Structure formats: C-alpha cells, structure tokens
Amino acid sequence: MEAAGGGSDAWAPRIMGILNVTPDSFSDGGSYEDVGRALAHATELMEQGADIIDIGGESTRPGAERIDPEDERRRVLPVVRELADRRIPVSIDTVNAGTAAEAVAAGALIVNDVSGGLADPGMAEVVADSGVHFVAMHWRGAAGLEASYGDVVREVREELRERIAELVVAGLRPEQIIIDPGLGFAKDAEHNWALLGRLPELVGLGHGVLVGASRKRFLGALLPEGAAMRERDAPTAVVSALAAQAGAWAVRVHDVRATRTALDVWTAWERGRLGIRPEEGGA
C-alpha cells in the first residue's frame, strides 16, 4: 500500500523514525523535550534514512501515568508544525482524538494509535474526516495488562480483522488503515516471537503492517545481562530485515542508521535472488 513517505527504496519497508518528546519514555525519555533538540534529532533521523518521523508526547511504557491531553499537545504540536513546514512526513503517536485532529491540521499525514481507536471514541471520526492514514494497533488495554492467549497469532489476526471492520463502519476507507500487531502490549516474549514468525498471516489481511519491535524487552533478553539499551539496536535491525522478508509495510525504530543498512542488505539480497541487475532496479 502507499502512504506518507514512499520509502527510500521501492523494495524495502518504510522506516518510521521514533521521536519521543516525553520525559519518561522507556528508551529515550527526556532526551528531546526541547523543541530545538527534537527538530535536530528528526533531521538526523531523516539524514540516516527515515521515511517518516513518528512523534509521541505521551509514554506508553508499562506503568506510565496518563497525562492531560493539553500537555501532550503542548509537547508535540510545535514539532509537528515545524517538520511539516520542512516537508518532512510526520506521524502523530497518540490515543487522543483532540491531539490527532490538531496534529493533522498542523500537517501530520498519519495517526498512529496504540489503542486502535478504542481509547477515545472520537478518534475514528477525526481520521475519517481528515482522510489521513491510521495505524490501528492490536490492543486489549493499557500497557502492563497480563498476556493471555491460546493461539496468539490467530486471536490477534481475528481481533484486528474485527477492528478494521468497525473502523470501516465508522467511516474510514479500507485503504486508510494500517495495522500493527502490538508487540509487547499484553504479550510476552513467546507471543511476540510467534507474531513475528507468522507475520505473513497478518499481512494476508490486505492492509499495510507496521512492526514496532525497537529496543523492546524481548530483544534485550537475547543480550548479556546488563547490556545497554542501545545494544538492542542490532537485534532490532535484524528484525527489520526479517519483517521486510515477511512483507511488512513499515518498521518503527529508534536507530534508523542500523535498520537502513539492514534493509539495504536485504534489498540487495532479493535482487540477487531474483537476478535483477542494478540498473533495472536501482543501485
């Protein structure tokens, strides 16, 4: 499917660079609260190969406290406006319809809602009226909810199918909807790996699939005890390449450079496998 930020290469998924303008996000909280630093980091992410900048003003980590939507808007809107003015594709990461509406008015092209529109009943109307793309994540409740599934892939697939149908009834066009399996949200490591390993089953729903594995705890579990957060960027990049192989529409990451390299390797591999000469499909 097509959406904001057409991808640096037609073969590879889009890279959504994470920009948290929060004091308490699990990986980079407090690093980019200042507007100037946020804009500088967004520029750096684009230079490293991002296609979209995903701006969040409220942490969704387990145990995070909800904030007043006015505070969220105060954090994100100046950054959205400035990046949109620079013609940088922007996604707004929010569960609040009011924030989504103002961000879209400021130039955001995608609304990325970890609740899939369930947290705020006004979200579907905002997205339907604006016509922007909408990322509907699989969500059973706030972060930290106990994970309980039989066949996690089958259940997530069916719950996403139901959510898509509800969003269409609410006025969204099917082509507006992107889905996200919600790795780490009411899911443990075993569930996350099952969803990644069977990602084509979600791609088969016929909507773009966003994969958000970056620096999450289940990747940290693969590393030596006490490993720094940034050491999770290498396994994140590997997941990005494997997600590309599975047909993902986009990957959402903190370290754009590592993922861009991984996707470039995957693209070259695929061209070699298919016997496509560089001049036939780019460098």
Side-chain angles (χ1 to χ4, degrees), residues 156-255:
V156 167
R157 188 176 191 271
E158 289 310 305
E159 288 170 29
L160 282 171
R161 188 200 301 274
E162 291 173 7
R163 184 85 278 256
I164 291 164
E166 291 164 355
L167 290 168
V168 171
V169 169
L172 276 75
R173 302 187 313 278
E175 59 269 24
Q176 285 180 262
I177 302 170
I178 299 159
I179 57 175
D180 179 337
L183 302 176
F185 285 79
K187 300 170 187 74
D188 60 24
E190 182 180 354
H191 298 138
N192 294 335
W193 287 119
L195 287 162
L196 289 171
R198 293 166 60 187
L199 196 65
E201 294 181 40
L202 301 181
V203 174
L205 288 171
H207 296 264
V209 176
L210 172 65
V211 173
S214 186
R215 295 183 180 175
K216 289 191 174 177
R217 184 180 304 172
F218 77 104
L219 296 181
L222 302 175
L223 302 172
E225 187 175 354
M229 185 66 72
R230 287 189 175 275
E231 291 187 48
R232 300 181 186 183
D233 292 334
T236 297
V238 175
V239 167
S240 295
L242 294 172
Q245 185 68 28
W249 168 81
V251 290
R252 181 179 181 273
V253 301
H254 295 84
D255 183 346

Side-chain angles (χ1 to χ4, degrees), residues 91-178:
S91 166
I92 181 65
D93 180 357
T94 184
V95 299
N96 296 307
T99 300
E102 292 196 37
V104 169
L109 302 176
I110 300 172
V111 175
N112 180 13
D113 183 347
V114 300
S115 80
L118 293 169
D120 187 332
M123 183 64 83
E125 182 179 358
V126 166
V127 178
D129 288 347
S130 68
V132 299
H133 284 83
F134 182 63
V135 179
M137 196 190 81
H138 176 263
W139 192 72
R140 285 186 171 180
L145 190 70
E146 183 179 354
S148 178
Y149 299 90
D151 181 335
V152 64
V153 180
R154 180 184 60 79
E155 291 176 43
V156 167
R157 188 176 191 271
E158 289 310 305
E159 288 170 29
L160 282 171
R161 188 200 301 274
E162 291 173 7
R163 184 85 278 256
I164 291 164
E166 291 164 355
L167 290 168
V168 171
V169 169
L172 276 75
R173 302 187 313 278
E175 59 269 24
Q176 285 180 262
I177 302 170
I178 299 159

Side-chain angles (χ1 to χ4, degrees), residues 26 33 51 60 68 80 98 126 181 254 262:
F26 81 96
E33 285 185 276
D51 301 297
T60 55
D68 189 300
V80 172
V126 166
H254 295 84

Side-chain angles (χ1 to χ4, degrees), residues 37-57:
R37 292 180 68 184
L39 294 173
H41 187 57
T43 300
E44 180 182 30
L45 293 175
M46 293 299 293
E47 290 172 348
Q48 291 173 352
D51 301 297
I52 306 159
I53 302 298
D54 189 49
I55 303 171

